[in-house]
Amino acid sequence: GNSVTQMEGPVTLSEEAFLTINCTYTATGYPSLFWYVQYPGEGLQLLLKATKADDKGSNKGFEATYRKETTSFHLEKGSVQVSDSAVYFCALLNSGNTPLVFGKGTRLSVIA
Amino acid sequence: GAGVSQSPRYKVAKRGQDVALRCDPISGHVSLFWYQQALGQGPEFLTYFQNEAQLDKSGLPSDRFFAERPEGSVSTLKIQRTQQEDSAVYLCASSLVLAGGPWETQYFGPGTRLLVL
């Protein structure tokens, strides 16, 4: 079946630190991969996506590269800000009429 | 433009009560999904509509859960005889194209937080 595994949180970083949140997946076929972010008190927002192997999704300084050989889609940011504090969800969408499959989420706290 | 909206934002119900949760998708979006998000967990799929047709309801946890989208736009998720384990955030998402396209993006509403006492 389809599943997503992401690193356990919470992750606490100082402002301007480098961020990596690991995400690996299991899927049949060739899924599209997503990172969603949930800020405190708000709904899920799409952060970035990649639809095929070796694609790099990027937005707001965040990046993730679709690695088919390692079935991974790790989220990175070179210099985090306090405003990046949120819960980050890795997700996949397989071909056909299927819903998103989410990881459990990783809570990031950035301190000044 | 307007995003996905959900109402109510918060709902407190006594065990055994029926509740109805509403979702207004983005205008023109064909696909509509309902997800359940337990505390500290990722969203989990409940059911999926393509226009007014409910194509997949495999994620509904019991026959107390029922969803409809009669005119292919607004959707309602109904939970009968609520139980404490139904307490969660219920998320609605919509997307423009038919599910399965690699370019598909699901846009989420703010969710309805249900607490069953």
Side-chain angles (χ1 to χ4, degrees):
Chain A
N2 302 318
S3 66
V4 173
T5 302
Q6 59 183 106
M7 63 187 286
E8 297 277 335
V11 174
T12 303
L13 294 174
S14 297
E15 208 165 21
E16 299 184 4
F18 184 85
L19 168 71
T20 300
I21 300 178
N22 289 338
C23 171
T24 57
Y25 68 90
T26 302
T28 55
Y30 302 96
S32 296
L33 300 174
F34 303 81
W35 277 100
Y36 279 83
V37 59
Q38 192 170 38
Y39 297 104
E42 298 184 17
L44 280 169
Q45 300 175 26
L46 178 66
L47 180 60
L48 54 83
K49 66 180 180 182
T51 58
K52 60 183 187 296
D54 300 325
D55 269 2
K56 177 186 284 188
S58 61
N59 186 26
K60 299 181 180 180
F62 291 88
E63 293 183 339
T65 301
Y66 188 159
R67 301 286 189 200
K68 187 169 180 289
E69 64 276 12
T70 54
T71 61
S72 65
F73 193 55
H74 304 322
L75 182 68
E76 297 182 337
K77 186 175 186 182
S79 176
V80 293
Q81 305 301 311
V82 172
S83 57
D84 294 326
S85 298
V87 181
Y88 293 81
F89 292 92
C90 185
L92 71 83
L93 181 69
N94 218 326
S95 57
N97 292 330
T98 59
L100 284 163
V101 176
F102 286 88
K104 292 188 175 182
T106 302
R107 181 175 298 277
L108 170 66
S109 295
V110 181
I111 54 177
Chain B
V4 178
S5 60
Q6 294 185 245
S7 61
R9 292 292 309 275
Y10 303 92
K11 177 69 179 177
V12 179
K14 292 182 180 178
R15 189 162 54 95
Q17 271 186 328
D18 298 348
V19 298
L21 312 181
R22 177 187 169 106
C23 172
D24 282 85
I26 294 172
S27 178
H29 276 199
V30 170
S31 298
L32 186 147
F33 296 82
W34 283 98
Y35 295 84
Q36 181 189 58
Q37 186 177 16
L39 189 64
Q41 302 294 314
E44 293 191 353
F45 169 72
L46 293 176
T47 187
Y48 159 63
F49 291 86
Q50 182 176 305
N51 295 306
E52 69 278 3
Q54 188 175 18
L55 298 187
D56 188 346
K57 53 182 180 179
S58 62
L60 295 176
S62 79
D63 59 7
R64 296 186 296 104
F65 286 70
F66 172 76
E68 59 184 6
R69 194 186 186 197
E71 297 179 357
S73 177
V74 171
S75 177
T76 303
L77 176 67
K78 297 179 180 177
I79 310 173
Q80 297 176 325
R81 304 182 304 281
T82 53
Q83 304 294 315
Q84 286 185 324
E85 61 263 29
D86 300 334
S87 297
V89 176
Y90 291 86
L91 297 170
C92 176
S94 70
S95 64
L96 180 60
V97 297
L98 295 178
W103 52 86
E104 179 180 0
T105 295
Q106 293 183 23
Y107 297 91
F108 283 80
T112 295
R113 185 177 297 276
L114 173 65
L115 177 62
V116 181
L117 302 176

